Amino acid sequence: MCVACCIIDDHEKGETRMTGDNTILEVKNLTKHFPIYRGFLRRIVGNVQALNDVSFSVAKNETLGIVGESGCGKTTLIRVMMRAYEPTSGEMLFNQNGEMINIYSLNKRELKELRRHMQIIFQDPLSSLNPRKTVLEIIGEPLLIHGVARGQELKSRVSELLDMVGLSVKHLERYPNAFSGGQRQRIAIARALALQPQIVLCDEPVSALDVSIQAQIVNLLQDLQKELGLTYLFISHDLSVVEHISNRVAVMYLGSFVELAPSAELYRNPKHPYTEALLSATPIIDPDARRKRIILPGELPDPSNPPSGCKFHTRCNYAEEVCRTTVPAWEEVSPGHWTSCHLAKTLSLRGVLK
Amino acid sequence: MMSGMKHYKETADYINKMYNRQSQLDESLADQMRESEKIADATSQWRLMWRKFKRNRIAVVGGIVVLLFYLVALFGDFIAPYTLEQRMTRYSYLPPQRVYFFAGGRFQPHVYALETGRDPITLQRTYVPNPDKRIPIRFFVEGAPYKLFGLIPARRHLFGVEEGIISLFGTDGQGRDMFSRIIKGSQISLTIGLVGVALSLLIGAVLGVASGYYGGWVDNVVQRLIEIVRSFPPIPLWMALTAALPQHWSPLLIYFTITVILSLIGWTWLARQLRGKVLALREEDFIMAARLAGASDRWIIFKHLIPATFSHIIVISTLSMPSMILAESSLSFLGLGLRPPLTSWGVLLQQAQNTQVLLLYPWLMLPGVFVALSILAFNFMGDGLRDAADPYTV
Amino acid sequence: MLSYIVKRVLGMIPAILIISFITFVVIQLPPGDFVTSVQAQVAASGGGMDAATVEALRARYGLDQPMIVQYWRWIRGFPKGDFGFSLEWNAPVWDVIAERMGWTLLLSGLALVFMWVVSIPIGIYSARNQYSLGDNLFSFLGFLGLSIPDFMLALIWLVFGTLVLGIPAYGLFSPEMVDAPWSMAKFLDLLKHLWAPVVIMGVIGTAELIRIMRGSMLEVLNQQYITTARAKGLPERTVINKYAVRMAINPLISVLGMQVPKMISSSIIVGLVLSIPTIGPVFLRSLISQDMYLAGSILLFTSVLLLISNLLADLALAWVDPRIRYE
Amino acid sequence: MRKKALLLLLVVVIVMSGIGINAAPKYKEAPELAKLARAGQLPPVEERLPKEPLVVEPVESIGKYGGTWRRAFTGINDFHAFGRQVYDTILRWPRDPKDPIKPGLAKEWYWSDDGKVLTLRLREGLKWSDGHPFTTADITFWWYDIELDTNITPAPHPEWVIDGKPMELEVVDDYTIKLKFPKPNGLAETVGLAFHGNQWPLGFERFGFFAPRHYLEQYHPRYNPKATYELFEEKAIDYNTERPVMTAWKITEWGPGATRLVAKRNPYYWKVDPAGNQLPYIDEIVLTLFEEVEALNLRAIEGGIDFQFRRMSLSNYPSFMMNKDRYGYEVLLWPDAVPSKLCYYFNQSIEDKGLREIFQNPKFRQAMSLAINRDEINEVSYLGLGTPRAFVVVPDSPYYDPNQEQLYAQYNPELANKLLDEIGLKRGRDGYRTRPDGSRLEIIVEGMEWDRATTDEMELVVAAWNEVGVRTSMRTSSRELYWTRACGNEIQVSTWVESRAIDPMVDPIWVFPYDERSWMAPAFGNWYASGGKFGEEPPKYIKEMMDLYDRYKTTVDRDEQIKIAKELLRRNAEGCFVIGTVGLVPNVVVVKNDFRNVPETFTTDWIYMAPGTLDPCHFYFDR
């Protein structure tokens, strides 16, 4: 597995760029504010800063994990990337045959074409599958929409997909409510893969499932990645799952990335106090290691009124004066390891992996 | 605050060991579920709905009654022993006749012949049955000609008598058989609801779904429209609108216009309900999934939203029927609805709204009983359907 | 809250304008006009009216003007509280309506109260004794009430009450009491006449309210905090009255706004059958005689009443349920 | 016998009162008025009454003062519910229509020899209900400031306009006035002074012969520049409680949205009984508003009405009879002066030329009349209480001819079929007749919803016509629309409840096409009424009838008038101009057991303002 970690830093622009055309996706300064309307005239009185100046890139065949608490903006990120929401600013470049296309400049038809290459798996397989449609209809829908297949051909194509995700052909005419949670998620995966996408955005694909089944789905995703050369953007609040599947992991807090590093590096050697706190609460691999769980003080700040300086300072155990006043820069503290913390160089934080 | 953080104990090895592409565990779990909840292989929502509906005894009874009503209305001309125009003036204001089933220990349905007269003081019609003269009831008897379904000319009636009169529900002032008239009246009263509901469905579904799905200015316009329509109290608005009907129009045209007027108000309720439903659906992931798969608005509306709201539409229609039937009879009662020679339950009731009817000829109020019965049946049925409609609450 | 009310009230103004226009158009839709109807009425009572008189009357009432002019003549008086002139009563519209509006509101209001007083306890009972005999009985009775047209009930009561029970079922007062000054006896006389129409009007809506109350109560009773309250050892009565009912009543309030138009409609029909001086008979008559300003104003007033009752329902909801706040 | 005895008693009473003239006051009055008079709030009764009060001959007996007469009505349009109880005119219709016209507010009247000048002498000392004298000024005010003011009356009533010239008035003194016409005016006495001779405007009818000048002058723009015509109308209407009247009771309580109308005794009323008691006996009339005729009937059934026949429905007769003893009232059946309860006009001026030709053929109309089974209708709709008959005047009429009563009124479908065959309406294979040219024949009978009985009757008639092969359907609509369309010559066969069967010449709309209300040919009627300006010129047989009426109008000799009227009515009857079914259908009259001076029988007609000619002011309660 080739992990692209030759990243060149560009402080001024605040963005990360990949060398070569190994990059499949590049997100630049993506920002999404939801306006808050108020009053008779529906004036905009504020913004919920759901996504703030997020930049990263994804290499082909890589899995980029994104973790964070619920409400940190993970789902917004996915939806903006899928152009379900229009971003407030920023761009996203997609590598189509070596050409980087900004998806926000596409028209409806071009966008529909692009959708073939980029698909999504939702968190809740129950709500992401129309309960009134059979498996055939659900998985076949993207194929029909794009005119890829129909009739008998559709059926055989869907059967292949079913086989690929480990379901039986005899399930074709069943409705989602006849399946268990794991099976439903397999159906959702089959649908996502129907159009042979290059990149799949996984929005907490296993968090609604039983623990035992989570593993099966994760492994299925990994197998599929190997087989089909897929690229994943894997979002979860569950650090252990992310660690298991990701090549690199990004940590999100309040709409911004606070740390991004190859997963082993991140888990072993976190550079951001928030990452440390997250990890401390995760019983990974070594249940016997008696680690002290770091309890974060305070509550998640209101995203429509984020704190000044470092957004995390209100809950950070290490916070100093500078954290309150100055926004920390997004810096590469070691090769491929990015963070935005004033104290990144001075603090020695505890990871989980030895 | 790390919410929902689960203890994820499996090691990678363990995971690999457990993992099997055929996922037997998964399969058996689902099998167990099926077994316990009796979900058949290709269980559609309709089957589910039907199964739940069947369990509601009173709703089933309501449904059967509704079905029966429509069947009777459909074959009304055959079932009714007399046509609308048949007047037996000799027998005006005849009270419902008693039917005797056995003659001399043998099954031989019959009625008694009647001696007619007038009370010398009150001048009321009097009818004295003569037990010595039995008039047998014949089945599939030749009678006045009619057209079955308005198409097939026929003369046979389900039952009838060869002399005298058979009037199960009595007669009106012109000696017309109320049984036959109520059956004929049901044809209009029951269809006016259907047509009205269909029309309001059309308007309501289109506007409701559009307003829920598109939101924005479409939603705004539709919502304002609904508010304005709703800010008219229904009966007065109906009154005003029906008063505006050109009365020289043909009865059929009037009939349709009145249904249109009834549905003009009926749709708002439906539209609101559907909008709410669509608003909720729009946020469902499967809609997002379809959209992200590149589906157009039309695709989403017709392939996902409308089918998803279908059970609601059916429930709402069933529950709207009573108000349509009631509205028709109320308007006709006020003299603003249908007019003779059109015969609906409302028209029959309008003709019966006299003191003397209640005092002297109470059987002329029978159409009211049928209005009540049909509404009751529709309500019970609709109620059962509503309970059965939600696919998630098995 | 205050600004919310002000905003809602201001928002009603364009609605009222649109409603008034629709109203006027609808009222003007029937062929002919007030003068034609007078002519026909005179004729029906055996008299006659020549063509020249007809034209002169038409000119006097301004009926020869285009509709938009007539509409303007009507609405321009609104800010001054002038709703035009009733051609038939030969009096300002407001005078005619004011005389009748009180009774309409009283009757509708009492019917609403009746519905609530009946349906809340039954709803609570039914929810607490789900599927019991009583529950089934009440729901059947409710549906039965829903199914019998109000005009039929009124008609049956009219004859049955008057001739069988000897209670005059029509009007609001016994004839000998109409003119009497207000006294205990007159009040009792009013009550004697009032309860039947109130019940007749209320019966239809009660079924629906019982259902809502029952459903909402069932939902609330399954909530965590009820179990908690019970676990805390609070007496059952307190749990039901203080916690459950208070929450369960919300949906009832939100349908309040929808009940008002039904009551007004019902008061029209019941008023007509039982000769009760509600706005209904006047309205029907004005429609038939095409007394357009009167008919239009009544339709408009009832609509405004609905707007107001919706507002009140919203406010009541906010008052009962602290979770709802209006900015 | 009884009548004679009564008369004798009357004479005795009058003589005795003459004898006792010095011993007792000449007139007596109601106790409440006496109290006011004693307190000086009212002049004494002698001053309130005119010099020669009208003496009302009691139907039954001298009455007693007091009581409230409870009646019911259906609203503001139902003015006649009150108005006909207080009908006081210049000249008065007799109680028996065959008698000559009687004096009213005018004591005497006579024609000049050439029939062009009519002199009226009013009773001296008549007073309005506010005590102001009633004089010829009140007549001239009406004539010049109401009838001839086009702002109020666009065109004066035809009986006052002879050959296009309005009458001229010459006031001789306060009590004497001369009416001058260019030609003899045959309508002045009956139409002008008896029928229309009331206080203007009588509900929406807007006719009259006088108005309170002293009161209305202040609201008339001609006398008060600040007044408007709207204001004038508002003050002049009958419902205005301030307006002075000449009637026995005066409306004292009524307003917008009100639910009852109260009328109280007029202390200046100008009639007395033979014993010198000032009328009326009854203190007040209270009319309760009923939105629904059914509730109104119920009110009567449970004894809540003292005396009334208006709005009582015949179909409730059994209920009345069952409850009368329980609630203490009597139910009388007074014949209504209707030739037929419902009548059918075949529109002889209908636009459809083919239909017009058929409708103009008397044989067709006769056939349609013969096709109807009137006995059946009588049984179904009228409890067998009516009289199956042709559409001709009633026996009480001065123009009655018994030979016409059953003309084409027997049920004879064979003859009807024969007549129809004769005029070329051949039956097709479906059993329905076609027009002579072979095209489809279908007629539509239209009507409005009256009540159950008439709707039943209409349906029976329609069925009967279908029986003889004339495809007929029926349509009902609201009164307003129906009226407009019928007058607009748009209806093929119209139906109506037509009375005016005692003296139809007063308003001869059913006798011949008189105006657009003559639905036997509205277009011809319009032509006649407009003097040929509008409508369509009628064929000869109709023009002849119009000429006859023109002669009637300009004859003041009553015998000559009767001769002309009979000729006109003969043509009408023989031509079946109007098809009647069941006539003389009785009114149900509810009379409380203690309500007196109501006769056993009485023919009611609206022209005669029934029960106005019975002098309701002398009804009384025997308590």
Side-chain angles (χ1 to χ4, degrees), chain D residues 137-155:
Chain D
D138 295 311
I139 295 174
T140 53
F141 178 71
W142 159 75
W143 178 243
Y144 293 111
D145 298 321
I146 293 176
E147 191 80 353
L148 291 184
D149 187 331
T150 49
N151 293 302
I152 300 169
T153 316

Side-chain angles (χ1 to χ4, degrees), chain D residues 275-323:
Chain D
N277 292 308
Q278 190 197 17
L279 297 172
Y281 293 130
I282 292 175
D283 292 337
E284 60 174 5
I285 306 182
V286 173
L287 288 92
T288 310
L289 178 72
F290 282 86
E291 312 293 354
E292 261 270 314
V293 179
E294 283 311 314
L296 189 152
N297 270 261
L298 200 63
R299 175 93 179 119
I301 289 172
E302 56 121 18
I305 283 174
D306 292 312
F307 164 65
Q308 181 163 344
F309 58 85
R310 191 178 174 83
R311 311 269 176 213
M312 299 292 136
S313 77
L314 185 61
S315 28
N316 280 329
Y317 183 76
S319 311
F320 281 115
M321 290 306 281
M322 284 176 194
N323 287 286

Side-chain angles (χ1 to χ4, degrees), chain A residues 69 79 115 127-128 130-131 133 141 145-146 164 166 174-175 180 183 207 216 219 223 227 278 315, chain B residues 1-2 6 15 19 21 26-27 30 34 41 43 284-286 288-289 292-293 295 299 303-304 391-392:
Chain A
E69 292 167 275
R79 301 213 162 178
R115 298 244 190 258
S127 89
S128 73
N130 189 336
K133 302 256 181 223
E141 185 177 32
I145 290 170
H146 287 272
M164 195 151 62
R174 285 192 193 171
Y175 289 87
S180 67
Q183 287 175 315
S207 42
Q216 297 170 8
N219 287 335
D223 288 354
E227 254 173 60
L278 277 184
R315 304 171 73 194
Chain B
M1 191 178 70
M2 299 291 289
K6 277 196 293 282
I15 292 166
Y19 175 62
R21 260 186 113 162
D26 227 4
E27 192 82 357
R34 274 205 299 277
D41 237 17
T43 310
E284 291 271 353
D285 286 341
F286 68 83
M288 178 71 84
L292 296 185
W299 178 282
K303 294 276 174 176
H304 290 279
Y392 295 113

Side-chain angles (χ1 to χ4, degrees), chain C residues 52-286:
Chain C
T53 310
V54 169
E55 278 319 306
L57 279 178
R58 205 160 270 153
R60 173 166 317 130
Y61 297 136
L63 300 175
D64 50 352
Q65 310 265 351
M67 198 192 78
I68 195 77
V69 175
Q70 297 186 37
Y71 173 67
W72 171 242
R73 279 165 64 145
W74 183 44
I75 60 159
R76 72 179 169 192
F78 285 6
K80 288 178 286 176
D82 172 13
F83 296 93
F85 199 76
S86 162
L87 307 177
E88 190 173 23
W89 291 83
N90 207 13
V93 161
W94 179 245
D95 291 1
V96 181
I97 294 179
E99 182 82 22
R100 300 298 190 99
M101 212 43 147
W103 291 120
T104 310
L105 290 180
L106 179 72
L107 218 56
S108 310
L110 284 178
L112 277 177
V113 169
F114 167 82
M115 281 160 52
W116 279 55
V117 164
V118 169
S119 53
I120 292 177
I122 293 182
I124 295 171
Y125 170 86
S126 291
R128 295 188 59 197
N129 303 279
Q130 206 183 356
Y131 304 129
S132 70
L133 185 71
D135 177 26
N136 286 331
L137 187 75
F138 280 129
S139 84
F140 183 78
L141 282 181
F143 272 129
L144 201 64
L146 189 71
S147 309
I148 302 176
D150 46 2
F151 60 85
M152 239 175 77
L153 270 184
L155 202 60
I156 291 169
W157 169 246
L158 177 69
V159 174
F160 184 76
T162 311
L163 292 178
V164 180
L165 300 183
I167 305 167
Y170 44 78
L172 280 178
F173 297 101
S174 309
E176 58 273 14
M177 283 292 180
V178 176
D179 213 16
W182 277 104
S183 64
M184 201 56 202
K186 184 169 182 173
F187 181 69
L188 290 177
D189 185 60
L190 175 67
L191 286 188
K192 207 169 81 185
H193 284 80
L194 210 54
W195 68 268
V198 164
V199 170
I200 291 170
M201 286 167 61
V203 156
I204 282 195
T206 308
E208 197 187 339
L209 289 192
I210 291 177
R211 281 200 66 77
I212 295 173
M213 187 69 200
R214 177 178 178 269
S216 147
M217 193 72 190
L218 279 174
E219 201 174 306
V220 170
L221 286 179
N222 287 330
Q223 300 269 322
Q224 194 67 48
Y225 60 86
I226 295 294
T227 320
T228 316
R230 280 191 178 134
K232 271 198 254 168
L234 286 173
E236 186 66 11
R237 269 182 62 163
T238 319
V239 173
I240 297 297
N241 293 339
K242 266 213 149 140
Y243 294 81
V245 174
R246 203 183 251 185
M247 288 314 296
I249 217 151
N250 283 357
L252 227 56
I253 294 173
S254 43
V255 296
L256 184 65
M258 283 166 59
Q259 296 290 341
V260 172
K262 287 184 189 158
M263 285 304 104
I264 290 175
S265 298
S266 193
S267 82
I268 286 180
I269 291 182
V270 172
L272 206 63
V273 177
L274 297 181
S275 272
I276 294 169
T278 61
I279 203 81
V282 174
F283 180 59
L284 183 64
R285 192 182 295 277
S286 66

Side-chain angles (χ1 to χ4, degrees), chain C residues 31-34 36-57 60-61 85 87-92 95-96 99-100 155 158-159 162-166 168-171 175-176 178-179 271-278 281-282 285 288-290, chain D residues 70 74-77 80 84 150-155 157 195 204-207 229-230 233-235 237 253-260 262 264 288-292 294-296 298-299 301-302 304 310 323 326-327 448 450 479-481 483-484 487 496-497 499-500 507 516-517 606-607:
Chain C
D33 55 27
F34 175 67
T36 335
S37 86
V38 165
Q39 200 186 3
Q41 267 153 12
V42 167
S45 61
M49 218 169 163
D50 55 90
T53 310
V54 169
E55 278 319 306
L57 279 178
R60 173 166 317 130
Y61 297 136
F85 199 76
L87 307 177
E88 190 173 23
W89 291 83
N90 207 13
D95 291 1
V96 181
E99 182 82 22
R100 300 298 190 99
L155 202 60
L158 177 69
V159 174
T162 311
L163 292 178
V164 180
L165 300 183
Y170 44 78
E176 58 273 14
V178 176
D179 213 16
L272 206 63
V273 177
L274 297 181
S275 272
I276 294 169
T278 61
V282 174
R285 192 182 295 277
I288 289 171
S289 66
Q290 302 199 20
Chain D
R70 296 170 302 160
T74 58
I76 187 156
N77 299 315
H80 283 247
R84 292 197 198 174
T150 49
N151 293 302
I152 300 169
T153 316
H157 283 79
F195 180 29
F204 282 118
E205 266 83 4
R206 300 170 73 83
F207 53 59
Y229 283 104
E230 279 77 17
E233 292 278 344
E234 209 178 309
K235 295 294 179 185
I237 56 159
E253 189 189 314
W254 178 256
T259 54
R260 60 178 213 153
V262 180
K264 289 209 155 64
T288 310
L289 178 72
F290 282 86
E291 312 293 354
E292 261 270 314
E294 283 311 314
L296 189 152
L298 200 63
R299 175 93 179 119
I301 289 172
E302 56 121 18
R310 191 178 174 83
N323 287 286
R326 179 173 167 199
Y327 294 109
M448 35 170 287
W450 300 90
R479 183 163 64 190
E480 290 65 37
L481 180 76
W483 174 266
T484 318
C487 290
W496 197 245
V497 173
S499 56
R500 310 161 217 263
D507 189 17
E516 80 276 0
R517 294 171 300 153
W606 109 262
I607 300 277

Side-chain angles (χ1 to χ4, degrees), chain B residues 253-265:
Chain B
L253 197 55
I254 296 241
Y255 164 84
F256 276 113
T257 326
I258 285 181
T259 52
V260 169
I261 289 172
L262 292 185
S263 48
L264 269 184
I265 298 177

